[in-house]
Amino acid sequence: MAFLRRQVVTAALTANAVRPLPGYRTSLATFFPSWLVGELAPHVLAVTVADAAAHATGRRRDTRGLALAAASSLGLAFLVAQSRRVREVAEESLVEALGADYADDLEDRPTPADLAVPWRRLAYPFRMREPRVHVERDIVYDDALGRRGMLDVYRPADTPLEGAPVLLQVHGGGWTIGRKDQQGIPLMHHLALKGWVCVAVNYRLAPRDLWPAQIEDVKKSIAWVREHIGAYGGDPGYIAITGGSAGGHLAALAALTPHRREWQPGFEDADTSVQVAVPHYGIYDVAGSTGVRATELMRDHFLGPRVLGRRWEEDPEVFEDASPILQISDEAPDMFVLHGRHDSLAPVEQARLFVERLRRTSRRSVVYAELPGAQHAFDVFPSIRSQHVVRAIDRYLHWHWNRHRAQARGGVRA
């Protein structure tokens, strides 16, 4: 019976990962197991096969459990195949938006070995130490905020930098939890090893500090980068910003609202523009302007009472100002938007509508990769999917950085 119970649980978790239950009210319960099983599908598959093989060689065989194990194995193999497809999906998205010759602007074209699944790296996905990257922790960018006013700087350990491109990572956590050392680590390690300076930032959290404290802090960290990053080998004239979930919202909003003075108290004249943004599974419609029902429920039951501290009916303008989709202009910077098709927490419809409006309005590049089978938080730790995502972002950002440098030298327009 123990074997059968294990296989019932595995089958239920696999089914939830293949097709998460829809609906706002079940989203939290659906998300966590779907995310873990989806990103750890190779590991769950190996354990399931081993468990079934051991049971099949025993004296008492439970055919119901073995049948469930076989069904789970097929589902898990499907999840692995979906994750591997991200390589082609991301590359097709880059080619669609940038042109088939975009790789001509890269230093080196990616080889098949560069794009292969790094199975050895994925064997221990939660071990994210990288001795070749030096991290300087807890640098103060606002001494009035305590630990929430600190950031970390990632650089290659053995290579001095000068004039390197800069990536600013904004953590997620529903604007209410999270720290700078919990998200974006695979991407920052990867880019630091490629000669980038990466900055991970804390910010004040709701409901202790209500909106707009979060966007004020992100903008203050951008101002800090402009003023101080040269001392760490970075180019203050080139900042890429990224983040997932609430961090994706803040990254997109900061990118779309440079020099918004009311969100820069005490540093109104600081340059808080960025050159490019890469938001992951972000919330782009705080006001419910898209009419997506899950978005309206999130506005009324979470964002309003917990983050903004008011009801939408009382002050809709605050919700609208906080919505990246309503801040799009023809001055929007280049963007690479990534979203999972099965995201339980941030409706994929928001990302589709955000990208549609960006493409209608912006004069810059807009890349959109909708990842098959992907849940929320697909990039938190190394997995098949996240490794392909990291490499696609690498190609996009190096394409953008090289064109930026060429423009600075009087060459092509970025």
Side-chain angles (χ1 to χ4, degrees):
M1 288 299 294
F3 173 73
L4 177 61
R5 285 195 293 268
R6 288 198 300 274
Q7 297 313 315
V8 168
V9 171
T10 301
L13 291 172
T14 302
N16 182 58
V18 171
R19 181 66 66 180
L21 290 173
Y24 174 79
R25 300 189 188 282
T26 62
S27 59
L28 279 175
T30 297
F31 154 65
F32 190 76
S34 175
W35 165 60
L36 275 182
V37 173
E39 298 309 315
L40 296 174
H43 307 74
V44 181
L45 175 59
V47 170
T48 301
V49 170
D51 191 16
H55 180 77
T57 58
R59 291 184 179 181
R60 294 184 178 180
R61 297 178 187 140
D62 190 323
T63 55
R64 296 169 300 172
L66 289 171
L68 283 172
S72 296
S73 297
L74 289 174
L76 291 163
F78 172 75
L79 292 173
V80 171
Q82 271 192 330
S83 296
R84 299 186 73 173
R85 277 189 56 216
V86 168
R87 169 183 164 179
E88 287 73 32
V89 169
E91 182 63 17
E92 289 167 3
S93 300
L94 290 167
V95 168
E96 176 191 12
L98 309 180
D101 59 348
Y102 86 92
D104 293 343
D105 287 317
L106 304 179
E107 293 90 346
D108 300 299
R109 288 179 174 271
T111 66
D114 293 331
L115 300 175
V117 177
W119 292 107
R120 184 178 300 179
R121 176 75 179 87
L122 302 183
Y124 304 101
F126 298 111
R127 184 183 179 185
M128 290 190 281
R129 295 179 59 189
E130 178 49 79
R132 296 172 295 170
V133 174
H134 172 72
V135 185
E136 191 164 343
R137 301 189 185 277
D138 296 335
I139 301 166
V140 175
Y141 74 88
D142 188 335
D143 57 11
L145 303 182
R147 297 197 65 82
R148 302 316 304 180
M150 293 180 177
L151 52 80
D152 299 339
V153 175
Y154 293 66
R155 292 179 288 169
D158 301 321
T159 306
L161 298 178
E162 183 177 356
V166 180
L167 178 78
L168 180 64
Q169 156 69 28
V170 185
H171 72 77
W175 304 269
T176 61
I177 59 173
R179 299 196 315 261
K180 54 186 168 55
D181 58 351
Q182 293 176 331
Q183 297 175 24
I185 307 300
L187 177 61
M188 290 191 291
H189 281 169
H190 182 88
L191 289 179
L193 291 173
K194 291 286 192 81
W196 285 59
V197 178
C198 300
V199 180
V201 61
N202 275 344
Y203 53 86
R204 285 172 289 172
L205 301 174
R208 177 176 176 177
D209 292 289
L210 293 172
W211 184 267
Q214 296 72 36
I215 191 63
E216 291 174 0
D217 294 350
V218 170
K219 285 179 172 288
K220 183 166 285 189
S221 71
I222 297 172
W224 183 94
V225 169
R226 292 272 182 219
E227 185 175 353
H228 298 285
I229 206 65
Y232 299 87
D235 178 357
Y238 185 88
I239 301 174
I241 190 168
T242 189
S245 193
H249 162 262
L250 292 167
L253 189 64
L256 293 166
T257 59
H259 313 306
R260 183 139 185 182
R261 295 178 66 86
E262 66 268 32
W263 288 342
Q264 297 185 195
F267 58 107
E268 289 85 355
D269 297 326
D271 180 3
T272 60
S273 63
V274 299
Q275 281 57 59
V276 59
V278 187
H280 299 47
Y281 45 89
I283 301 297
Y284 304 110
D285 180 16
V286 173
S289 65
T290 56
V292 176
R293 181 57 179 161
T295 298
E296 295 172 345
L297 290 170
M298 182 185 293
R299 177 197 68 195
D300 295 338
H301 295 285
F302 177 72
L303 289 170
R306 292 281 293 173
V307 180
L308 279 72
R310 66 197 78 193
R311 297 171 57 198
W312 177 75
E313 295 86 351
E314 297 169 346
D315 199 348
E317 186 175 344
V318 172
F319 290 78
E320 292 165 0
D321 287 347
S323 298
I325 196 169
L326 299 179
Q327 306 306 317
I328 295 170
S329 73
D330 61 357
E331 296 299 319
D334 299 85
M335 282 204 188
F336 185 4
V337 180
L338 298 108
H339 215 96
R341 192 168 297 163
H342 287 169
D343 195 314
S344 297
L345 301 184
V348 68
E349 292 85 0
Q350 279 197 28
R352 293 170 183 164
L353 293 168
F354 179 64
V355 168
E356 179 185 326
R357 190 167 299 184
L358 268 174
R359 286 176 168 168
R360 286 202 313 264
T361 308
S362 174
R363 295 184 287 110
R364 299 288 186 170
S365 68
V366 181
V367 183
Y368 177 54
E370 186 172 302
L371 310 182
Q375 251 295 358
H376 205 70
F378 54 75
D379 65 324
V380 170
F381 57 84
S383 66
I384 296 173
R385 182 179 286 110
S386 73
Q387 292 300 287
H388 287 315
V389 165
V390 162
R391 291 166 181 184
I393 295 171
D394 172 348
R395 297 196 294 280
Y396 177 71
L397 288 180
H398 278 96
W399 169 85
H400 191 273
W401 165 241
N402 289 337
R403 288 171 64 87
H404 173 85
R405 287 190 296 175
Q407 181 191 33
R409 294 192 298 265
V412 300
R413 186 177 80 83

